[in-house]
Amino acid sequence: MIEVINKACGLDIHKLFFIATILSRSGEKQQQRFNRDDEGILSLKNWVISKKCDVVACESTSDFWVPIYDSLIKHLPVIVGNARDMKVFTHKKTDKIDSEVIAQLALNNMIQPSRVFPNDHRDFRSDVRLRLTLVQKRTDLKNKAHSILASEMLNLKNVLTDIFGKNGRMILSGISSGKTVDQILASLSPNVRKKSNQIREILEREISQSASLRLQICLKLIKYLDDEIEALEKEIFNYAYRNHKREMEILISVPGIAELNAATLIAEIGSFRDFSSGDKLASWLGIVPNVYQSAYKFYSGRITKRGSKVARWILIVVAQAATRKKNSKLKELFNRKKKSIGYAKAIIAPARKITIIIWHLIINDE
């Protein structure tokens, strides 16, 4: 960060436009509105360079700041700050005031810069997040299919562990396409055909034409999402092993962390060496408690939930898996906490401990 800033530009960025305010130590103020397009960004770049700004600052609003950052960073420092930290400095809310407040904060070195990943890593993270979105959509469709079957009283889950496994899909496809019970049973694996009597009893119920159509649509969309998720996973693993092979190997060696979890953590965290300690990493991920202290009063509240919610969710999933392992220190920690604060809060403790462990392992290449 620049030690002395004599002139700073603050940006309030929106989807279609942004407001730029330049403030100087002498009290001079200049303000302009630009369209958020190639021409507008180029005009901003020429303007801040011609005015000899020492720094440009903006909020990390969605991904609207990315093309502006990429255009300016080669010419002068750009600070991307957390919007929540900046809003506390003003009670008024207009685009012009927001832009001016950001410029004022930048002028006085009061913005804590967020970590900005390189372009290729941002694309990698976007792939990981898109995959997660598609998985959630697929889950919604599976739940809808369950609802359709329940409304028709076709309780397949009573005889199949997973109705979206290979045999389950054969049955669902047969139901939606109007196959006979014998044709459906003939397509199943020998292991499942042992339950023929139970399956036959369920399938002898007649499904309505409307339910059949809705079920068929759900199955087609689920199959489509399966293919797209598989394609994304190949792209994710190719990047992860090409650029972070050692980190992947170390993370997978930790109990509870699967290959996809490891790739997700790398995508969300980036370089572990950006953090001086495991506690700093845990703080960045928002799995440390809010702390309030005044005189002799000390209050420790809920976790801060700053940073990546995807990484935080993955760490909690990993902690849940790790605490199920027998004779585990993490399980002991979790059980001890659960007695006094309950499951939901207690699971944060092993998640934070795992965060510190993986930081140590990667930094020390162990």
Side-chain angles (χ1 to χ4, degrees):
M1 187 179 288
I2 302 170
E3 292 183 5
V4 178
I5 298 175
N6 295 311
K7 191 176 285 189
C9 177
L11 304 178
D12 185 55
I13 305 173
H14 298 272
K15 186 176 182 180
L16 301 178
F17 69 93
F18 55 92
I19 306 293
T21 303
I22 294 178
L23 294 180
S24 63
R25 291 282 175 195
S26 61
E28 181 187 359
K29 182 177 87 171
Q30 299 173 72
Q31 200 166 64
Q32 283 196 40
R33 172 182 168 134
F34 299 90
N35 291 328
R36 189 177 163 273
D37 53 24
D38 291 338
E39 186 179 344
I41 294 172
L42 180 61
S43 298
L44 170 71
K45 182 176 74 173
N46 293 334
W47 188 52
V48 295
I49 291 174
S50 67
K51 297 298 179 182
K52 298 181 180 177
C53 287
D54 295 316
V55 68
V56 175
C58 64
E59 297 174 346
S60 54
T61 309
S62 185
D63 287 332
F64 299 158
W65 57 272
V66 173
I68 299 172
Y69 176 91
D70 290 341
S71 175
L72 296 178
I73 193 61
K74 296 177 183 177
H75 304 280
L76 73 167
V78 180
I79 300 172
V80 181
N82 190 310
R84 185 169 61 178
D85 293 340
M86 298 190 205
K87 294 303 182 192
V88 300
F89 291 98
T90 176
H91 64 281
K92 297 179 181 179
K93 181 71 178 77
T94 68
D95 296 338
K96 290 182 178 180
I97 289 175
D98 283 349
S99 174
E100 187 175 342
V101 167
I102 294 170
Q104 188 71 49
L105 294 174
L107 192 65
N108 292 283
N109 255 335
M110 293 176 67
I111 300 176
Q112 180 66 35
S114 298
R115 296 169 67 237
V116 179
F117 298 147
N119 276 332
D120 58 342
H121 196 95
R122 290 205 299 265
D123 292 339
F124 171 50
R125 185 179 60 179
S126 295
D127 288 345
V128 170
R129 290 181 176 182
L130 176 58
R131 180 202 164 275
L132 179 60
T133 300
L134 295 182
V135 169
Q136 291 168 342
K137 299 293 183 188
R138 184 178 64 182
T139 301
D140 290 341
L141 287 167
K142 287 182 177 181
N143 289 337
K144 185 61 182 175
H146 275 291
S147 176
I148 293 167
L149 292 172
S151 67
E152 297 292 314
M153 292 189 289
L154 295 170
N155 299 315
L156 286 173
K157 60 182 181 181
N158 292 342
V159 292
L160 295 175
T161 306
D162 179 15
I163 69 167
F164 293 101
K166 184 179 178 181
N167 288 290
R169 294 200 187 201
M170 293 295 290
I171 294 174
L172 294 178
S173 178
I175 293 171
S176 62
S177 61
K179 289 183 179 179
T180 65
V181 176
D182 290 330
Q183 287 174 325
I184 293 172
L185 289 172
S187 66
L188 303 179
S189 66
N191 207 28
V192 176
R193 279 204 297 269
K194 293 176 182 177
K195 302 177 182 178
S196 294
N197 291 336
Q198 293 170 274
I199 295 172
R200 185 182 293 277
E201 187 179 340
I202 293 168
L203 298 184
E204 279 176 352
R205 291 192 59 84
E206 187 175 344
I207 186 171
S208 68
Q209 189 174 354
S210 172
S212 177
L213 176 62
R214 284 181 279 128
L215 184 60
Q216 199 168 20
I217 291 170
C218 285
L219 292 174
K220 284 180 180 178
L221 291 173
I222 289 169
K223 176 65 171 66
Y224 176 76
L225 288 174
D226 282 340
D227 294 339
E228 296 305 312
I229 289 168
E230 185 180 349
L232 265 178
E233 285 178 356
K234 286 181 181 177
E235 191 67 26
I236 288 166
F237 290 136
N238 284 340
Y239 180 92
Y241 281 109
R242 187 172 63 249
N243 297 281
H244 301 278
K245 184 179 179 181
R246 184 57 181 157
E247 290 96 324
M248 285 289 290
E249 291 171 350
I250 292 170
L251 287 172
I252 292 169
S253 72
V254 177
I257 299 184
E259 194 176 32
L260 204 51
N261 294 340
T264 303
L265 287 173
I266 291 169
E268 293 296 326
I269 295 171
S271 174
F272 285 74
R273 298 187 183 278
D274 288 348
F275 303 94
S276 58
S277 69
D279 288 323
K280 294 285 187 184
L281 174 58
S283 177
W284 184 80
L285 289 169
I287 52 175
V288 296
N290 272 304
V291 175
Y292 172 80
Q293 185 175 10
S294 179
Y296 298 107
K297 294 181 180 179
F298 181 84
Y299 172 74
S300 178
R302 296 180 176 182
I303 57 172
T304 61
K305 292 188 178 180
R306 297 175 70 92
S308 168
K309 62 181 179 182
V310 176
R312 196 161 52 247
W313 169 68
I314 287 291
L315 284 165
I316 290 171
V317 170
V318 170
Q320 289 170 336
T323 53
R324 287 194 290 268
K325 188 176 180 182
K326 293 181 179 179
N327 302 320
S328 164
K329 295 285 186 182
L330 291 171
K331 185 175 184 177
E332 291 176 12
L333 171 66
F334 169 69
N335 288 335
R336 190 167 63 249
K337 294 277 186 181
K338 188 172 70 169
K339 291 176 183 177
S340 57
I341 59 177
Y343 183 95
K345 293 180 181 178
I347 199 65
I348 299 298
R352 182 172 178 272
K353 185 70 72 176
I354 288 169
T355 303
I356 295 169
I357 290 169
I358 62 176
W359 178 88
H360 175 88
L361 292 175
I362 288 176
I363 294 300
N364 295 287
D365 194 26
E366 295 178 3

